[in-house]
Amino acid sequence: MLFKPDLNETAKAAGGSVARVAGRARRRTVSIFITLLILGGLGYIGWTSFQQKQQQAANRVRPDLAVPVLAATPRIQDVPVYLEGVGSVRALNNVLVRAQVDGKLIAVNFTEGQEVKKGDILGEIDPVIYKAQLDQAVAKKAQDEAQLANMRLDLTRYQQLAASNAGSKQQADTQRAVVAQQEALVNADQAMIDNAQATLGYTKIIAPLSGRAGLRQVDQGNIIRASDATGLVIITQLQPITVQFSLPQQQIVRVNAASAKGALSVDVFGNDGATVADTGTLKGIDNQVDPTTGTLKLKAEFPNANFQLWPGQFVNVRLKVETLPKALVIPASAAQRGPAGTFSYVIDNDDTVTAKPITVIQQNETDAVIGSGLTPSDRVVTTGFANLSDGAKVIVGKDEQTPSADLAPRKRQGRGAQGGQGKEGQSERRGKKAESGQGEGDQKGQTGPAQGSDKSGSGAKAQP
C-alpha cells in the first residue's frame, strides 16, 4: 500500500521556506541601507572638511587683496665692528693698610667710605715707647761722641811725642786705631737714631695712595700689630678704574691686528644692558689663553668720572676693532631666514614683492650690514610678513600706520567650526552658560560678533 503525504503539511513546509528567504532578503536590504547611510555620512563629513580647508586657504591667500606692509630703503653709513664679552670691574690699585709697629691705637682719623689723599694720617699708635727708644739712641751717640773727642786729643799728643822721639810710635798708631773704632761706633749710633726715628714715624699710619677708604677693621683703643692679617683699612683707587674681560680665542688675531694700529676704544654697559655707562681704552692683553675656558683676558681702563663702575661688579663690555666704511645697512627685521638661506622681500615698481637672497656681514638687534643682494635704491619689507609670499601684491604704509595684530586668528576660528567635536563643544558651553543663568538670546548675542569677525578676518592683516 502506497503512503500518501498530507497536503497541509506540505503547504506548511513550503511556507516556512518562503518566510526564511524573505527574512534573509529583508536583513540584507537593511544592512545595505545602513552601510550606504554610513558611507554617505562619512562622505558628507569629508566634503565638509574639504570645503572648510578650501575656505581657509582662500581666506589665507587672497590674490585679489593687497597685503599691508611697512618698507624701508637701505642706507649707506660707516658701521663700527664690536666684539662683545663679559667682564668684572677691578680697582686700579687696591692696598691693605697695615700697621708697621705694634702698639695701642689711640686715634682713627678717617670715616668709612671717605675719599682720602696720599699722605693723609689714617691712624695713630701710642708713640711713648718709640719716643723713649729714640731718646736713648740720641743719648748713646752723645756719649760716644764725647769719648771720641777725648781719644782724638790723646792721638794728637802721642803723635807729637812720637815726632820728637819722646814717645813710642807704636803707641801713636794704636791710639789712631782706637779713634777709628770710636768713629765707627758713633756712626752706628747715628744709624740707631735713624732707625728709632723711622720706627717713631710708623706710629702714624699714612695713606699710601689716594682713593676711597673701606670699612674700618680695628677700632680705636685696641692693640694693633704689624702681623695682623686684616690690617686697619683697605683703600681702593676708583678714578680711574679698570675692567678685566674675556674674548674667545678665535678673536686673538683680530684683536692683535687692531691694537697694532692704535689704541682701541672699549665701552661698558650699565645695568640695563643697553646704555653705555663709560668709555675707555684697552690697556693690556694677556700673554696666554686660559686652557680651561679657551678665552683670552684683556684689561681696559675707564675714567669713571661719576663712580658708575664699582669694584667687583659684573658688566657687559664691547671692544671696537674696526669700522666698515660706507656699508649698506637695512633694518634687522628686513633680513629673513628661510630653508634656502637669508633673503629679503624687495618691493618692485608695481607694488609686488620679490624674495631676493642676500648676504649678511654683521647684524645686531636693530641693523644688518648687507654684503650682496641689495642696492641702495631697493625698498625692503620690514613689517607684515604673516600673509606675505613671493609675487604678492602689497600696500606700503607709513611708520605711524603699523599693521595691527589679528585679534581673532583664523586658525582658532576654523578649529572651532570643524567636525562634530566643535559642535559638541559649543553645545556644552551653551549648556553651561544656560545653567549659570544666561538665556539663549544672551548666548547668541555673545557669539554674534565672533561670527562676524570670521568674515572681516578674511582680509589680510599683517602682524609685526
Side-chain angles (χ1 to χ4, degrees):
M1 180 178 181
L2 298 174
F3 176 74
K4 185 178 182 180
D6 191 2
L7 295 177
N8 291 333
E9 292 180 358
T10 304
K12 288 180 181 181
S17 299
V18 173
R20 284 194 298 272
V21 173
R24 293 175 182 173
R26 187 166 50 251
R27 285 194 299 270
R28 186 180 293 110
T29 303
V30 173
S31 299
I32 294 174
F33 177 76
I34 293 174
T35 303
L36 293 177
L37 183 62
I38 293 174
L39 293 176
L42 293 176
Y44 176 76
I45 293 174
W47 179 81
T48 304
S49 177
F50 177 76
Q51 291 296 326
Q52 289 178 354
K53 291 182 180 179
Q54 292 292 332
Q55 184 65 26
Q56 290 179 3
N59 292 336
R60 190 180 298 111
V61 181
R62 292 283 303 275
D64 58 337
L65 187 62
V67 179
V69 297
L70 295 181
T73 302
R75 59 186 185 276
I76 304 295
Q77 65 181 34
D78 295 339
V79 179
V81 179
Y82 295 103
L83 300 179
E84 297 182 352
V86 178
S88 61
V89 182
R90 298 188 177 184
L92 185 63
N93 292 297
N94 193 355
V95 177
L96 174 59
V97 181
R98 289 192 178 99
Q100 294 179 272
V101 294
D102 300 343
K104 180 181 179 181
L105 186 64
I106 61 174
V108 176
N109 302 327
F110 70 94
T111 58
E112 297 172 335
Q114 174 188 348
E115 290 289 333
V116 298
K117 301 295 183 182
K118 182 179 181 180
D120 289 350
I121 299 176
L122 303 179
E124 297 181 19
I125 299 174
D126 190 358
V128 175
I129 298 177
Y130 303 103
K131 181 71 167 57
Q133 292 177 355
L134 176 62
D135 294 339
Q136 183 180 2
V138 172
K140 181 66 169 57
K141 181 184 178 182
Q143 179 183 0
D144 293 339
E145 284 180 343
Q147 294 178 359
L148 176 61
N150 184 39
M151 292 177 181
R152 285 175 177 172
L153 291 176
D154 291 343
L155 177 61
T156 302
R157 295 188 188 100
Y158 293 150
Q159 288 177 346
Q160 291 176 355
L161 292 175
S164 60
N165 294 325
S168 171
K169 292 183 178 179
Q170 181 181 2
Q171 187 177 10
D173 294 338
T174 302
Q175 188 64 26
R176 187 180 296 108
V178 171
V179 170
Q181 291 178 2
Q182 192 66 24
E183 289 177 348
L185 184 59
V186 171
N187 292 333
D189 292 337
Q190 181 61 44
M192 292 295 294
I193 292 174
D194 295 340
N195 184 38
Q197 286 179 341
T199 304
L200 181 61
Y202 291 154
T203 60
K204 296 183 183 296
I205 303 175
I206 307 299
L209 52 84
S210 298
R212 176 162 296 196
L215 300 180
R216 185 177 65 251
Q217 304 296 327
V218 181
D219 297 331
Q220 181 177 343
N222 289 295
I223 300 299
I224 188 170
R225 294 180 174 83
S227 59
D228 291 340
T230 56
L232 177 62
V233 69
I234 296 177
I235 298 178
T236 56
Q237 185 176 353
L238 304 180
Q239 291 179 334
I241 203 168
T242 63
V243 173
Q244 181 174 311
F245 60 100
S246 301
L247 291 177
Q249 62 180 1
Q250 292 80 4
Q251 304 294 343
I252 295 177
V253 177
R254 197 173 189 180
V255 173
N256 289 333
S259 61
K261 299 178 182 178
L264 300 182
S265 175
V266 183
D267 296 332
V268 61
F269 292 93
N271 295 330
D272 57 356
T275 305
V276 176
D278 204 353
T279 300
T281 55
L282 184 66
K283 290 298 183 180
I285 304 174
D286 199 3
N287 58 0
Q288 60 182 350
V289 175
D290 188 352
T292 59
T293 60
T295 58
L296 179 68
K297 295 179 181 179
L298 301 94
K299 180 182 287 187
E301 185 175 309
F302 298 85
N304 198 26
N306 299 322
F307 297 102
Q308 61 271 22
L309 300 178
W310 211 253
Q313 178 183 1
F314 288 96
V315 292
N316 293 323
V317 182
R318 67 179 185 184
L319 173 66
K320 181 180 178 181
V321 292
E322 62 177 318
T323 301
L324 300 177
K326 297 181 179 180
L328 187 66
V329 182
I330 64 173
S333 59
Q336 298 292 307
R337 268 75 180 176
T342 308
F343 67 95
S344 288
Y345 285 111
V346 179
I347 303 175
D348 299 331
N349 296 330
D350 56 351
D351 289 339
T352 58
V353 294
T354 303
K356 289 187 177 181
I358 60 175
T359 301
V360 178
I361 300 177
Q362 177 181 331
Q363 183 174 354
N364 55 21
E365 293 80 2
T366 57
D367 296 326
V369 180
I370 304 303
S372 62
L374 295 177
T375 61
S377 60
D378 290 334
R379 288 187 304 167
V380 293
V381 177
T382 60
T383 304
F385 301 100
N387 300 317
L388 202 59
S389 61
D390 193 5
K393 197 78 172 179
V394 296
I395 297 177
V396 181
K398 299 181 180 179
D399 292 340
E400 62 271 11
Q401 298 175 349
T402 303
S404 60
D406 192 354
L407 300 181
R410 300 184 197 89
K411 185 176 182 181
R412 185 177 301 172
Q413 295 165 5
R415 185 179 299 173
Q418 286 180 0
Q421 295 181 355
K423 295 180 180 178
E424 291 177 1
Q426 292 179 2
S427 63
E428 291 178 1
R429 288 193 294 270
R430 291 195 187 97
K432 291 180 180 179
K433 292 186 177 180
E435 291 177 0
S436 62
Q438 294 182 355
E440 184 178 358
D442 296 338
Q443 180 67 19
K444 292 181 179 179
Q446 292 179 359
T447 58
Q451 295 174 357
S453 64
D454 287 346
K455 298 179 180 179
S456 61
S458 62
K461 288 187 178 180
Q463 297 180 359

